[in-house]
Amino acid sequence: MSAAQTSLLSLDSLLAAVNGTVAGTARADFGFSYVVTDSRFVTEGAMFVPLIGEAQNGHKYIPQAIEAGATVVLANKSDYENNNAFYKELESAGKFDGITLILVDNTLYALQAAAKAYAEKVARNMIRVSITGSSGKTTTKEMLVNVCKKHFGEEAVAYTKGNFNSETGLPLSMFQIRGDEKIGIFEMGMNRKNEIGEISAVWQSQYGIITNIGTAHIGLLGSRQNIAEEKRKSFDYIPQTGAAFIPFDDDFADFCCEKVQGKVVKFGKSVPASQSGVAFIEDLGLNGTKFSVDGIEITLPLAGEYNYQNALGVIALAKELGVTAQEIKAGLEGMAAISGRMDIRKLTLKNGAKVSAVCDFYNANLDSMQKVIEFCAKQNNFNQKIFVLADMKELGDSSFASHAQIGKDVAATDACLVILAGPEMKAACDTLASQKNIAGREVIYFENNNDAFYEAAASKLLAFAKDNALVLFKGSHSMALEKLLPLIQEAE
């Protein structure tokens, strides 16, 4: 079967979508079977889309992409003109003979436009769902995917793999849609202004969840008001037949839904069971939350009130789609913790102590840090509580105040050992020292997360931790607190 027969888009469709022109001659059997922006992952039949970032110009890897089997390459017109000798050399060497080189104004926007055209081709009859918010996006997405698989079928759900939720990640995820799925569930992240607006225009969801409006990325956008302004763009394309889902108690709920054309559904513990069909039963601590949906008892195995809140959004949307309570139960009870996010593990330490560890390595902002600290503070059946906290990144001008607030929050808990790491955590350390603390609490501060930190922190943990301790690890991903685990854990 030729590349043309299996191509995700025809040449004419791709050129129209990206407003592109072919440089030289198009390959006779034009076609591409997947899309990639990293030349290291190119194999036969790929369309390579080089991107220009702050530190890298992906165009310089075009030769490697061709060598690895790319059949289509997009390139910025400006790069083609400004570095013409580079392209002429490739042409003279015959490198363009087996590919179609398409020139566009901007490869990032071309990637998005191509993904939109592909979605219009294959996802026209699919239910389209978006999920965004300051925290809880990936967990909410995984819960909804699990639930929808029980209703629509295991192979009938297209969704974001991992955290491919950005200006590039979402389009790449959409190119993985086969076309025979019944529903697509895609996560939308944000690292700059209007990123949500751009990727919302690509996916154009019929149903959307905003998990919350918090302080993640406040360093980039300046205020929660600005964050809400961006997040609500995920609702821009919801039709009158669709629906927007927003937490009842979020102070930006009404603002986010002002322009929604479809139905607005508010979810949360404050919504009465007579309206939502959901009745809270019991907080099971590290073992999750017990509740009922339309009289069917469900145990969500993910711990924390915020995970229950995320589940309430999933339940509200699922019910709107006609998913039954039994299907919701099967989907939610089958959830496992997503690696690095509120992952609760039973560990045997090298000193012989058996402890419970709350591992939340993936990311950190003021909201998520406060929630996990509050959760750990409420757990009463442990002999010790140990907190290992590292810097929260991307907080900008609010960083000092946010880290100082964490110091106050920790002071109000019964943690008996607190290990803090990173230059930003100095504010938490100083604030913690100035607060009225429980007697005998030990606080240790490390300015950096270097090798010396890991070794010293691991040594302290092993000297301090006893049986039935609760150990919390929480910090932004770049602080790499997960490196502590092999240093303290007994090999299995």
Side-chain angles (χ1 to χ4, degrees):
M1 185 179 289
S2 72
Q5 289 174 292
T6 59
S7 186
L8 298 182
L9 289 170
S10 69
L11 176 58
D12 288 344
S13 296
L14 179 60
L15 291 176
V18 303
N19 192 26
T21 56
V22 176
T25 305
R27 178 169 162 158
D29 61 343
F30 172 88
F32 62 99
S33 56
Y34 73 107
V35 182
V36 63
T37 59
D38 188 329
S39 63
R40 294 171 296 180
F41 303 130
V42 171
T43 57
E44 186 67 35
M47 178 168 80
F48 176 56
V49 185
L51 302 174
I52 298 177
E54 292 181 6
Q56 283 273 26
N57 181 348
H59 290 75
K60 71 179 183 181
Y61 298 107
I62 288 175
Q64 289 91 324
I66 296 172
E67 198 68 35
T71 52
V72 182
V73 174
L74 302 190
N76 281 348
K77 291 176 187 174
S78 59
D79 194 83
Y80 185 79
E81 292 165 359
N82 296 336
N83 300 303
N84 196 246
F86 169 75
Y87 292 91
K88 287 296 183 187
E89 185 178 336
L90 290 175
E91 185 179 12
S92 299
K95 297 296 186 183
F96 292 155
D97 293 349
I99 71 158
T100 303
L101 178 64
I102 297 175
L103 304 182
V104 298
D105 290 332
N106 181 298
T107 49
L108 170 61
Y109 296 145
L111 171 66
Q112 295 174 353
K116 181 179 179 182
Y118 179 70
E120 288 171 352
K121 172 188 171 184
V122 301
R124 190 173 300 150
N125 298 317
M126 286 173 59
I127 299 166
R128 297 190 302 277
V129 179
S130 65
I131 298 172
T132 192
S134 293
S135 59
K137 295 183 293 295
T138 302
T139 303
T140 300
K141 179 254 302 182
E142 293 291 336
M143 282 196 271
L144 185 59
V145 167
N146 247 33
V147 166
C148 286
K149 282 182 175 181
K150 301 302 178 186
H151 179 73
F152 295 103
E154 284 290 326
E155 301 300 319
V157 185
Y159 57 96
T160 306
K161 304 299 192 296
N163 66 328
F164 268 57
N165 60 15
S166 65
E167 59 191 359
T168 57
L170 178 76
L172 291 174
S173 292
M174 287 169 58
F175 275 116
Q176 295 182 19
I177 297 172
R178 298 187 312 273
D180 57 352
E181 301 95 337
K182 295 178 181 178
I183 184 170
I185 302 168
F186 288 93
E187 185 182 331
M188 295 182 178
M190 176 178 70
N191 285 302
R192 60 174 175 82
K193 189 172 183 180
N194 201 39
E195 187 169 358
I196 294 289
E198 290 173 10
I199 57 182
S200 293
V202 174
W203 181 228
Q204 298 194 8
S205 58
Q206 301 159 314
Y207 298 87
I209 297 177
I210 294 178
T211 60
N212 53 22
I213 302 298
T215 57
H217 305 305
I218 200 165
L220 299 170
L221 295 173
S223 69
R224 288 182 68 229
Q225 176 69 37
N226 291 343
I227 292 169
E229 191 72 58
E230 291 298 315
K231 295 294 185 183
R232 76 173 182 173
K233 292 176 182 177
S234 65
F235 290 163
D236 280 355
Y237 298 90
I238 291 174
Q240 290 185 340
T241 53
F245 299 80
I246 193 85
F248 181 90
D249 291 323
D250 197 292
D251 49 344
F252 283 95
D254 291 337
F255 174 77
C256 286
C257 296
E258 280 177 356
K259 301 176 183 178
V260 172
Q261 298 299 308
K263 183 178 180 180
V264 172
V265 179
K266 293 183 179 179
F267 63 88
K269 290 181 73 173
S270 298
V271 178
S274 58
Q275 184 178 329
S276 67
V278 184
F280 174 80
I281 298 174
E282 184 183 3
D283 184 341
L284 301 174
L286 297 188
N287 296 316
T289 305
K290 185 180 290 186
F291 55 94
S292 67
V293 175
D294 297 339
I296 303 295
E297 190 172 293
I298 298 173
T299 298
L300 177 71
L302 304 184
E305 186 176 337
Y306 45 96
N307 278 323
Y308 176 51
Q309 167 79 356
N310 293 333
L312 293 175
V314 168
I315 293 163
L317 197 154
K319 292 186 75 172
E320 192 70 24
L321 297 179
V323 181
T324 67
Q326 285 288 2
E327 291 165 338
I328 292 170
K329 174 183 174 70
L332 292 181
E333 291 192 342
M335 281 293 297
I338 300 165
S339 181
R341 291 176 170 90
M342 196 60 182
D343 184 2
I344 296 173
R345 309 181 191 183
K346 300 291 187 181
L347 305 181
T348 300
L349 302 186
K350 290 180 178 179
N351 66 358
K354 297 184 184 302
V355 305
S356 296
V358 178
C359 303
D360 207 328
F361 307 128
Y362 183 73
N363 217 336
N365 54 58
L366 181 59
D367 298 317
S368 63
M369 185 78 81
Q370 287 184 305
K371 286 173 181 174
V372 75
I373 289 171
E374 180 185 8
F375 168 76
C376 290
K378 288 180 178 178
Q379 307 311 309
N380 298 319
N381 300 318
F382 293 94
N383 296 331
Q384 288 178 312
K385 289 179 187 173
I386 299 170
F387 292 173
V388 184
L389 309 177
D391 280 357
M392 302 177 287
K393 300 295 189 181
E394 297 182 355
L395 298 184
D397 293 341
S398 66
S399 183
F400 179 86
S402 296
H403 285 84
Q405 181 60 51
I406 292 302
K408 292 180 182 177
D409 294 340
V410 171
T413 73
D414 55 349
C416 52
L417 172 63
V418 180
I419 298 175
L420 303 170
E424 302 298 325
M425 272 295 168
K426 182 66 163 61
C429 181
D430 291 344
T431 303
L432 188 53
S434 70
Q435 302 293 305
K436 183 179 180 181
N437 288 305
I438 63 169
R441 172 181 287 150
E442 189 172 352
V443 179
I444 305 174
Y445 171 70
F446 297 87
E447 186 175 358
N448 300 299
N449 61 324
N450 52 21
D451 289 344
F453 155 68
Y454 295 117
E455 291 173 12
S459 178
K460 183 62 184 179
L461 282 166
L462 292 174
F464 194 92
K466 300 175 182 176
D467 270 335
N468 195 35
L470 177 64
V471 187
L472 165 63
F473 299 94
K474 175 73 174 173
S476 282
H477 187 59
S478 61
M479 297 303 291
L481 288 182
E482 66 273 14
K483 290 182 179 179
L484 281 170
L485 291 187
L487 299 179
I488 64 172
Q489 188 176 4
E490 189 69 66
E492 295 181 356

